[in-house]
C-alpha cells in the first residue's frame, strides 16, 4: 500500500483527521480540490482561536502545521473514484492518477444550492447567510430576514431577533403552525407571506427585497438554509449508507465516524445536518483516531495470524 490512510478533503475535518494520523506516525495522503464550502465568506467566526480569520488563512496555516509531520503528503486534485481493492482501497484522481491506502477518511463536504431568486447567489457568504452563530454578529442591529425554504425555517426565525429586528418570509410555502406563530410574535418577528422575488442593492450589499406583489421592503441581510448535496461521489461509489438529512443527504456514521463500509470513515458537513467549523474539526479528530485504531487492530490480527 502507498499509504495507511487517504483523507479525501483538506478542510476542517480532513486536516484534523490527518493531524491525528500524522502524529501517530502513519503514512497519510490528503487529496484536496481546493474548493472549501466557506470560500465565499471573508471571515470564519465562532471557531475558538480562529475567530475573524479568513478561511483561506486558516487552511494555509493548518496545512503548514500538518505538513510538518514527515509521514503526511498532499495532492491538489479531485478524487473522482474509489473502489475496494483486496484489504484496502484505490482512489482515482481526475487526472488519472491512482493512490492506494488501507483506510479512507471521507471529508469532502457538501455543496449548497440556494433558491433560484435573482440577487441571492451573488451575495452568498456576505449578506445572504446560513448560520446566525457564524455570521449574525457581523450583521447585528440591521434589518434581518429569514427566507424560508424548508419546514424548520420558522425555528431559525425564533433565534434571529437576538441579533436584530427580524422578518420571516414564508415564501407562501412554509407557514408556521399556531404554536410557532405565538412564539414568533413574542419574539417580535414580523411575518411576510408574499414571496421574495428579487434581492436589491449594490452587490454584495443588500438594501431591500422585492416581493411578488411589487412592494420593496427594507432588508440588509437574509438567512437561508440552502439545500445541500454531497460534494464527492465516493461514499455512494463505495456503498456507504446515505441518509436523508434535514437539508440534504448525509453519510451515515457511528459515534466513531465509521461508515457502514468497513475501513471507511467520514467526518464534516457531509455527515450531519448541523454545520459548523468546530463540529467539522472535532469530527475529523474522531475519524482520524478511529482510523488509527482500526490500523492497530488490523496490524495485531496480522501478527497473530503469523
Amino acid at each position: 500500500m502507498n499509504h495507511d490512510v487517504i483523507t479525501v478533503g483538506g478542510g476542517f475535518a480532513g486536516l484534523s483527521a490527518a493531524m491525528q494520523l500524522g502524529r501517530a506516525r502513519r503514512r497519510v495522503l490528503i487529496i484536496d480540490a481546493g474548493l472549501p464550502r466557506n470560500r465565499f465568506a471573508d471571515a470564519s467566526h465562532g471557531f475558538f482561536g480562529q475567530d475573524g480569520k479568513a478561511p483561506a488563512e486558516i487552511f494555509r496555516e493548518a496545512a503548514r502545521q500538518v505538513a510538518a509531520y514527515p509521514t503526511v503528503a498532499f495532492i491538489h486534485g479531485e478524487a473522482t473514484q474509489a473502489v475496494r481493492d483486496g484489504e484496502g482501497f484505490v482512489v482515482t484522481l481526475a487526472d488519472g492518477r491512482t493512490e492506494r491506502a488501507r483506510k479512507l477518511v471521507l471529508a469532502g463536504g457538501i455543496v449548497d444550492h440556494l433558491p433560484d431568486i435573482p440577487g441571492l447567489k451573488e451575495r452568498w457568504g456576505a449578506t445572504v447567510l446560513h448560520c446566525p452563530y457564524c455570521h449574525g454578529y457581523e450583521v447585528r442591529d440591521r434589518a434581518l430576514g429569514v427566507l424560508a425554504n424548508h419546514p424548520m425555517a420558522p425555528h431559525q426565525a425564533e433565534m434571529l431577533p437576538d441579533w436584530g429586528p427580524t422578518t420571516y418570509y414564508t415564501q407562501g410555502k412554509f407557514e408556521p403552525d399556531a404554536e410557532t406563530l405565538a412564539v414568533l410574535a413574542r419574539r417580535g418577528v414580523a411575518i411576510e407571506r408574499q414571496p421574495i422575488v428579487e434581492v436589491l442593492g449594490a452587490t454584495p450589499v443588500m438594501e431591500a427585497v422585492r416581493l411578488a406583489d411589487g412592494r420593496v421592503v427594507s432588508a440588509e441581510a437574509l438567512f437561508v438554509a440552502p439545500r445541500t448535496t454531497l460534494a464527492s461521489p465516493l461514499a455512494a461509489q463505495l456503498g456507504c449508507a446515505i441518509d436523508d438529512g434535514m437539508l440534504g443527504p448525509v453519510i451515515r456514521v457511528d459515534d466513531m465516524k465509521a461508515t457502514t463500509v468497513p475501513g471507511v470513515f467520514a467526518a464534516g458537513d457531509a455527515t450531519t445536518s448541523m454545520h459548523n467549523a468546530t463540529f467539522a474539526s472535532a469530527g475529523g479528530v474522531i475519524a482520524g483516531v478511529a482510523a488509527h485504531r482500526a490500523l492497530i487492530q488490523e496490524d495485531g490480527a496480522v501478527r497473530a495470524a503469523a
Side-chain angles (χ1 to χ4, degrees):
M1 291 290 173
N2 299 53
H3 314 283
D4 289 316
V5 181
I6 290 176
T7 296
V8 180
F12 293 118
L15 288 172
S16 295
M19 178 169 281
Q20 312 313 310
L21 290 157
R23 289 182 59 78
R25 303 169 68 188
R26 294 291 181 160
R27 295 165 298 153
V28 187
L29 174 66
I30 302 166
I31 301 175
D32 182 58
L35 296 172
R37 182 190 184 194
N38 62 357
R39 64 188 182 276
F40 302 101
D42 290 334
S44 177
H45 294 284
F47 190 174
F48 184 73
Q50 303 295 332
D51 191 59
K53 290 185 180 179
E57 179 186 354
I58 296 173
F59 292 139
R60 280 195 300 271
E61 176 60 18
R64 183 194 66 77
Q65 292 177 7
V66 173
Y69 295 96
T71 58
V72 178
F74 286 80
I75 288 180
H76 178 73
E78 181 185 2
T80 58
Q81 186 178 44
V83 296
R84 184 176 287 281
D85 180 44
E87 296 300 315
F89 302 90
V90 176
V91 176
T92 302
L93 282 77
D95 62 7
R97 283 180 292 177
T98 59
E99 298 287 344
R100 297 173 180 270
R102 295 166 61 186
K103 310 295 177 188
L104 296 180
V105 174
L106 305 181
I110 57 177
V111 176
D112 295 301
H113 301 275
L114 293 168
D116 188 17
I117 297 173
L120 208 62
K121 184 177 180 180
E122 298 90 325
R123 293 170 173 82
W124 179 236
T127 50
V128 175
L129 307 160
H130 79 291
C131 171
Y133 294 105
C134 302
H135 304 289
Y137 190 81
E138 283 62 49
V139 295
R140 63 194 180 278
D141 300 326
R142 303 183 195 177
L144 306 179
V146 172
L147 192 159
N149 70 321
H150 67 95
M152 295 298 291
H155 298 289
Q156 189 174 44
E158 291 178 18
M159 295 190 298
L160 207 55
D162 284 354
W163 287 274
T166 302
T167 299
Y168 175 65
Y169 297 89
T170 71
Q171 294 302 97
K173 298 178 181 179
F174 299 99
E175 178 70 22
D177 59 29
E179 181 179 352
T180 304
L181 275 173
V183 173
L184 293 175
R186 289 196 300 270
R187 294 282 285 157
V189 177
I191 308 296
E192 177 55 69
R193 294 176 173 84
Q194 283 290 322
I196 295 173
V197 296
E198 186 180 7
V199 179
L200 306 174
T203 308
V205 172
M206 180 187 305
E207 297 174 359
V209 294
R210 191 186 310 279
L211 304 180
D213 63 3
R215 284 181 294 141
V216 173
V217 178
S218 175
E220 296 173 89
L222 282 178
F223 286 82
V224 56
R227 298 293 178 179
T228 62
T229 55
L230 300 179
S232 169
L234 270 56
Q237 292 172 1
L238 291 162
C240 300
I242 297 174
D243 297 324
D244 292 326
M246 186 168 60
L247 300 172
V250 294
I251 304 170
R252 185 187 303 170
V253 294
D254 65 14
D255 290 344
M256 292 303 295
K257 307 304 178 185
T259 71
T260 55
V261 174
V264 180
F265 302 84
D269 288 353
T271 65
T272 177
S273 293
M274 295 183 66
H275 302 147
N276 178 283
T278 307
F279 294 155
S281 181
V285 171
I286 296 172
V289 169
H292 181 225
R293 289 180 177 178
L295 291 167
I296 292 171
Q297 292 168 359
E298 189 175 272
D299 293 342
V302 170
R303 284 195 292 270

